[in-house]
Amino acid sequence: MKAVEGALLLLMLVLGSVCAVQDLRRGIVPNRCIALGGIAACALQGVSLICFSRDFTLWWLVNMLLGDALAVCLYAAGLWAAGDAKLFMLMFLCVPARLIEPYTLSCAVIPYCFIFVPAFFFILADSFIQALRRSERFDAGSRSSLRDIKGFLAVMVEMTAWQALSCAAFPSFWEENAFFASALMMVLAYACSGRAFLQRGFVIALHALSLGVMAVMGVWRFSAAPWWMVGVTLLCLAAGRWASGYNYRRIPTNQVREGMILSAGAVLSFRMSHVKELPQDPREDMKARLTKAQAQAVRRWEKSKHGKDTVVILRKLPFAVLISAGFMGWILVRTGGLFI
């Protein structure tokens, strides 16, 4: 049993290291590595589940599927690339079933804590350093503090409405899986803050009305609990809003390469150009990464009539590094510093 589980964890370490290096060097996660690693992980995990860990199979499978579904949602939202989502699935496939906590869905979201909490603090620390260096801030003055406060309050109303509805519909589930449910609420908070439709007045009013109806029916009453989730969500939104101004970098146009993400302003400036194959999608997420042809077009654009010597790009986080390190960190904590 220990030999098979050790092989799974060794495979996780090797695959995670290879993908992390490739992400740092080339900005991509190699599909061949994911495919070969997936075949090896399936074989080892199959032996482990059939021969040694049958009692943990159901909870391992449910937690893995929920975690993988959230990874796909993060890809759909443009937060990370398809390769990052596939790497997350591969890493979870390498987790020995005995390390999954039974009778709870917490392990479906705990790996994300080990991935995004370090990423969040890295972004904050990097932004603080950029501020001390008086680096160029690209969104300064673009939004008022009052508008930000209104946006945060709207998110709180919507998150509270969904929390109240979830508690009323599935009280036992919420109680038994408080950590998982709280993580879902935080994901919902970010979705509400990042989607223009969910920031519209009638949508916010509809959520507030639903709270009022549930209060009249006696299935909800105002409460600050869980206070930590509300506080952490507000802190994350506010800190992320401040740090976002340093999430850009100005580079010479002739240095634009495949896989980079241009700022919305840079893409909009291409609208007056007749250079073919210039990117036209102003979204600032992983789905807007430049193809090889688009990168070549941007470099040609520099020498055109409306071209500029510099463009602004987004500073991409190496998520493969964070995913690999996050899973290994989780395993170390889960086993008390020992892999098996």
Side-chain angles (χ1 to χ4, degrees), residues 163-315:
Q163 179 188 1
L165 181 61
S166 300
C167 288
F170 309 103
S172 59
F173 175 83
W174 185 274
E175 182 178 351
E176 295 170 2
N177 300 277
F179 188 83
F180 176 77
S182 297
L184 290 182
M185 289 300 104
M186 291 194 70
V187 171
L188 175 64
Y190 274 95
C192 292
S193 65
R195 292 289 179 264
F197 175 78
L198 294 174
Q199 288 285 308
R200 292 182 179 180
F202 80 92
V203 177
I204 299 169
L206 183 62
H207 283 81
L209 179 62
S210 66
L211 281 175
V213 171
M214 284 187 284
V216 172
M217 295 175 61
V219 297
W220 177 80
R221 61 182 180 84
F222 176 78
S223 173
W227 62 269
W228 66 268
M229 185 179 70
V230 176
V232 168
T233 302
L234 282 174
L235 178 62
C236 290
L237 290 175
R241 176 69 186 91
W242 172 78
S244 64
Y246 297 103
N247 196 34
Y248 300 84
R249 181 160 58 98
R250 191 180 298 276
I251 65 170
T253 306
N254 59 17
Q255 293 183 9
V256 171
R257 294 293 182 267
E258 177 186 4
M260 290 182 174
I261 304 173
L262 297 178
S263 69
V267 174
L268 292 175
S269 68
F270 299 151
R271 298 290 172 87
M272 299 177 62
S273 176
H274 296 291
V275 176
K276 294 182 179 180
E277 297 192 56
L278 282 171
Q280 300 297 320
D281 187 352
R283 292 182 302 175
E284 296 181 347
D285 57 35
M286 296 301 295
K287 293 183 178 181
R289 290 190 302 172
L290 295 177
T291 64
K292 184 177 181 179
Q294 288 175 331
Q296 293 173 344
V298 173
R299 295 196 294 271
R300 293 198 307 270
W301 170 80
E302 178 189 9
K303 303 182 184 303
S304 67
K305 178 180 178 181
H306 300 286
K308 297 179 181 179
D309 295 335
T310 62
V311 292
V312 177
I313 65 171
L314 267 72
R315 303 171 65 198

Side-chain angles (χ1 to χ4, degrees), residues 97-179:
R98 287 194 306 120
L99 299 184
I100 298 297
E101 188 72 25
Y103 309 110
T104 178
L105 301 178
S106 297
C107 288
V109 295
I110 286 177
Y112 289 101
C113 297
F114 283 83
I115 295 170
F116 284 99
V117 171
F120 177 75
F121 283 104
F122 170 80
I123 292 173
L124 281 186
D126 180 73
S127 300
F128 183 71
I129 293 173
Q130 296 299 322
L132 291 178
R133 292 178 176 177
R134 299 184 181 276
S135 300
E136 183 178 5
R137 182 175 171 84
F138 290 88
D139 70 340
S142 62
R143 291 183 61 180
S144 66
S145 298
L146 180 60
R147 184 177 178 183
D148 283 337
I149 293 173
K150 289 181 178 179
F152 293 157
L153 291 176
V155 169
M156 290 302 103
V157 170
E158 293 174 323
M159 188 175 70
T160 303
W162 280 103
Q163 179 188 1
L165 181 61
S166 300
C167 288
F170 309 103
S172 59
F173 175 83
W174 185 274
E175 182 178 351
E176 295 170 2
N177 300 277
F179 188 83

